[in-house]
Amino acid sequence: MVRTDRCKKLFTCKEKPLDPEKLGRMESLDVDRSPSLLLNIALALQHVLVLSSVCAMVVSALIQEVDKDRIVAHVLFYSGISTLLQSWIGSRLPLIQAPSLDFLIPALALLSAQSGTPVACRGQCIEAEEPVAPAHPIRELRGMTLVSGIVQLAMGLTGLSGFALGRCRPLVLAPVLCILGFSIYREAALLCSDHWGMAALAVVLLVLLSQHLHVFLRLSVFSVSRRLSVLLSVMVSWAVCAALVRWGHVHLNSVTQMLSTKRNATFIQSTNSPHSSDFVFPNDSVPWLDFPLLASALPLLSGNSIAAGVAGGLSASISSPAVYMMAARLLKAPVPPAHACNRGLCVDGIGSVIAGLMGAPVGLCSSVPNACVIGLSQSGSRSTVQIAGVLLLILGVSPQLAQMLCSVPLAIHGAVLSVTYALAVATGITYFQHADVDSGRNIFNIGFTMFMSLALPRWFRLHYSFIQTGVASVDVLLQSLLTLPVFFVGVLAFLLEHTVSGTLSERGLMRHEGTKKILSLADQQQGYSLSPDSVYDPPPPVRKVLELTGFRTVPFCACRSPAVEDVLVTVPEMSSLLPDKDAGVGSG
């Protein structure tokens, strides 16, 4: 009660009255406000479709066509579990958990080490003439998933993730978010190349529904056309493509067919190529019910799988906190505190550990495209992702239903990824406004970081045999880390920001007169809080558990809310990215 009264006093600051349009926008982005039931289910289904695009890219690149539907169903099931945990005891942000490039690139490096063929080049290198069949590919991939989950869990429990995030200023977050978006452009273009006409149709529909049509449809402040722009565009494009495939005017390919240049490449694929219509119309041979049970064989923890898992876990530990910051900015919510970030990464790790033990070949982390859907639909309710988690559990126990998601044409998946990841780039660019972009220091840091984070991983992919240390596990670790753009940009941006001298104003920082704390101008604009916000506080039962004596020490102390501190709140300008000079600042 003392904390509540204290916060009320601190929240009473002079502010300009907001017009109805601003108030409507604030309400639509409230994580605790639930839309109507039907709209909420439709928004949840939209998240599931976006997640299916990620699964189509990651899972289909590793698993043979025979087992793809069952494995995808299992991944969806574990994504649903992790999503529900994330919204309940994790960061509490409306985020979907999904596989990503953070696990795909190390997995490809692991398969390459098994067979001696440069799989991580993704069709750009000269392949060996006689590739060797992998011994236990699935078990080693599961071992990699298990290790990556342990790394994520360790980063969260020790508090390293929240500690580093608290020192990530605008000139660190901006390059990381930009590279998060740019890192997918090759894969998205590859999926779109399956049929550029279908991809163009989906992109045009997405732009029209999300940016133009809602202006003419005055159904509400944010019309249904904008909120469900992804769902509507995917369904219309899918229907058109299905009709063209039925009439024989369109022929589709699988991910493995597009990624590999040879039939017997080292991807885990079957010898029989599926027919084009299999990607649009479900196959009756797939069972309706198949509950994901514990795998018969344990994950294989070889040196290579451990090395790939460490690389994937480190990269996911950089990308997930960045997604937390991006989601908070799109929601116009206060910046995630350290304990919320640590809990979120712990949930990511738990999800990956469960997935690895139960048979999934890839780990889980916060999904970038699903977070970008918040900005696209202007709807970020926590109840939406919880319904999406339940839908994922239902899909996860029915391979037949999961196959329906797999049957969405790859070109449409590529279009969805292209538009959603573009918002990650745009969100990163917004951080540049808070720093002095004319400063020579910042010009060098930004340009060097972003260019090298794109150029060096591509160079190492093209020269895959450059790393030859004589130790296979060390080779896998280095090959994985050096081909991960997110790892590069996170390390380079952090080091340059904290080693190159510069003033506070250059870096987009300010020192508060009362507390003498160094604050980020980006955080101040959207509302900065040193104490836990209602967005991030776990439910009362979880708080009571964390307050127990045994959980007040290492390693659980990093996940607990700190003692009540002074709260500094600023009123953000909701209609513009530029700060309002007249907005009052409350002092703690």
Side-chain angles (χ1 to χ4, degrees):
M1 296 301 295
V2 175
R3 175 179 171 181
T4 303
D5 296 338
R6 196 172 179 183
C7 288
K8 285 182 178 179
K9 294 179 181 179
L10 293 169
F11 270 74
T12 55
C13 55
K14 291 182 64 178
E15 62 180 76
K16 294 174 62 179
L18 298 177
D19 56 37
E21 181 181 355
K22 297 176 185 177
L23 289 174
R25 186 175 304 175
M26 291 176 65
E27 290 180 358
S28 65
L29 297 180
D30 188 357
V31 296
D32 294 318
R33 177 182 290 273
S34 299
S36 62
L37 180 59
L38 291 179
L39 179 59
N40 217 4
I41 294 175
L43 290 169
L45 182 59
Q46 182 170 252
H47 276 294
V48 172
L49 283 176
V50 175
L51 173 60
S52 69
S53 299
V54 181
C55 287
M57 178 188 67
V58 176
V59 179
S60 299
L62 300 173
I63 304 302
Q64 59 185 353
E65 303 296 342
V66 174
D67 297 329
K68 186 182 72 172
D69 298 324
R70 182 176 59 86
I71 297 297
V72 167
H74 291 179
V75 171
L76 294 177
F77 184 83
Y78 306 130
S79 297
I81 293 177
S82 188
T83 297
L84 292 175
L85 290 176
Q86 187 70 258
S87 63
W88 186 49
I89 63 174
S91 65
R92 300 275 289 163
L93 288 167
L95 295 173
I96 302 291
Q97 306 303 109
S100 70
L101 280 182
D102 299 304
F103 304 105
L104 175 60
I105 293 177
L108 295 176
L110 176 60
L111 293 180
S112 173
Q114 290 177 330
S115 62
T117 303
V119 182
C121 296
R122 287 174 272 179
Q124 294 189 3
C125 301
I126 300 175
E127 298 183 357
E129 295 183 358
E130 296 182 357
V132 181
H136 302 285
I138 295 295
R139 289 186 61 197
E140 281 210 309
L141 288 175
R142 290 171 51 210
M144 180 205 75
T145 301
L146 178 62
V147 173
S148 65
I150 294 175
V151 172
Q152 292 171 283
L153 191 59
M155 294 289 289
L157 288 177
T158 57
L160 290 176
S161 176
F163 177 81
L165 186 64
R167 284 150 183 80
C168 289
R169 304 308 186 184
L171 291 181
V172 177
L173 292 172
V176 170
L177 291 178
C178 288
I179 296 301
L180 266 179
F182 285 135
S183 63
I184 202 69
Y185 78 94
R186 290 182 60 253
E187 285 72 18
L190 182 64
L191 295 179
C192 290
S193 65
D194 187 30
H195 196 286
W196 284 103
M198 289 297 102
L201 174 62
V203 170
V204 169
L205 287 175
L206 264 169
V207 174
L208 288 176
L209 291 173
S210 63
Q211 305 301 322
H212 297 293
L213 193 58
H214 74 283
V215 176
F216 304 101
L217 298 178
R218 298 292 182 179
L219 300 180
S220 62
V221 178
F222 291 100
S223 64
V224 175
S225 67
R226 180 167 189 173
R227 293 195 178 197
L228 302 179
S229 57
V230 177
L231 177 63
L232 295 176
S233 60
V234 169
M235 298 304 293
V236 172
S237 303
W238 192 4
V240 172
C241 189
L244 293 177
V245 169
R246 178 66 74 182
W247 294 335
H249 296 295
V250 172
H251 301 281
L252 305 177
N253 298 310
S254 66
V255 175
T256 49
Q257 286 173 328
M258 293 189 294
L259 287 175
S260 58
T261 57
K262 290 186 178 182
R263 174 71 61 179
N264 57 354
T266 53
F267 289 102
I268 311 172
Q269 60 180 14
S270 60
T271 57
N272 296 324
S273 177
H275 192 267
S276 175
S277 61
D278 292 342
F279 302 112
V280 180
F281 304 103
N283 186 356
D284 294 334
S285 63
V286 179
W288 278 99
L289 189 62
D290 181 20
F291 192 82
L293 301 174
L294 184 65
S296 58
L298 293 175
L300 182 58
L301 295 177
S302 63
N304 292 343
S305 64
I306 293 175
V310 170
L314 290 176
S315 181
S317 299
I318 295 175
S319 64
S320 283
V323 175
Y324 302 157
M325 297 294 292
M326 179 176 66
R329 192 165 183 83
L330 292 173
L331 288 166
K332 299 178 179 64
V335 179
H339 62 86
C341 178
N342 293 331
R343 287 199 314 269
L345 203 56
C346 286
V347 170
D348 288 355
I350 293 173
S352 296
V353 169
I354 295 175
L357 291 175
M358 300 296 286
V362 288
L364 303 172
C365 64
S366 296
S367 173
V368 177
N370 286 99
C372 293
V373 169
I374 296 174
L376 204 62
S377 64
Q378 292 294 306
S379 185
S381 173
R382 187 183 293 120
S383 63
T384 299
V385 300
Q386 291 172 343
I387 294 177
V390 175
L391 292 178
L392 290 173
L393 294 180
I394 297 174
L395 291 170
V397 298
S398 177
Q400 183 68 243
L401 294 177
Q403 189 195 35
M404 296 179 64
L405 292 180
C406 297
S407 63
V408 176
L410 299 178
I412 299 178
H413 285 315
V416 172
L417 294 177
S418 299
V419 175
T420 52
Y421 271 90
L423 267 71
V425 179
T427 306
I429 292 175
T430 61
Y431 278 95
F432 289 130
Q433 67 179 309
H434 305 290
D436 184 3
V437 293
D438 293 325
S439 167
R441 168 196 184 272
N442 294 344
I443 290 174
F444 173 81
N445 287 3
I446 295 169
F448 181 83
T449 299
M450 296 184 65
F451 185 85
M452 289 302 174
S453 299
L454 291 174
L456 289 179
R458 182 169 179 80
W459 188 90
F460 280 108
R461 284 196 296 267
L462 294 174
H463 300 80
Y464 193 76
S465 60
F466 179 79
I467 302 174
Q468 297 290 341
T469 64
V471 182
S473 58
V474 175
D475 291 346
V476 171
L477 177 63
L478 294 177
Q479 289 162 357
S480 300
L481 291 177
L482 295 178
T483 52
L484 281 166
V486 175
F487 178 80
F488 254 110
V489 71
V491 173
L492 286 178
F494 192 87
L495 289 179
L496 289 178
E497 175 66 9
H498 290 85
T499 56
V500 179
S501 60
T503 63
L504 291 180
S505 60
E506 277 184 307
R507 301 180 182 185
L509 307 176
M510 63 169 291
R511 189 181 300 276
H512 188 252
E513 297 180 357
T515 61
K516 302 300 181 182
K517 294 181 180 293
I518 296 178
L519 309 177
S520 169
L521 293 177
D523 299 345
Q524 185 185 17
Q525 175 200 338
Q526 67 186 93
Y528 182 81
S529 174
L530 295 177
S531 65
D533 186 84
S534 59
V535 176
Y536 306 104
D537 280 342
V542 179
R543 289 203 302 268
K544 290 181 180 179
V545 171
L546 293 176
E547 289 297 328
L548 296 177
T549 305
F551 290 90
R552 295 181 182 179
T553 57
V554 177
F556 303 103
C557 58
C559 299
R560 294 177 60 249
S561 302
V564 178
E565 300 179 10
D566 289 346
V567 180
L568 175 66
V569 176
T570 58
V571 178
E573 177 60 48
M574 307 303 295
S575 62
S576 172
L577 291 175
L578 296 176
D580 191 344
K581 296 180 180 179
D582 297 330
V585 177
S587 58

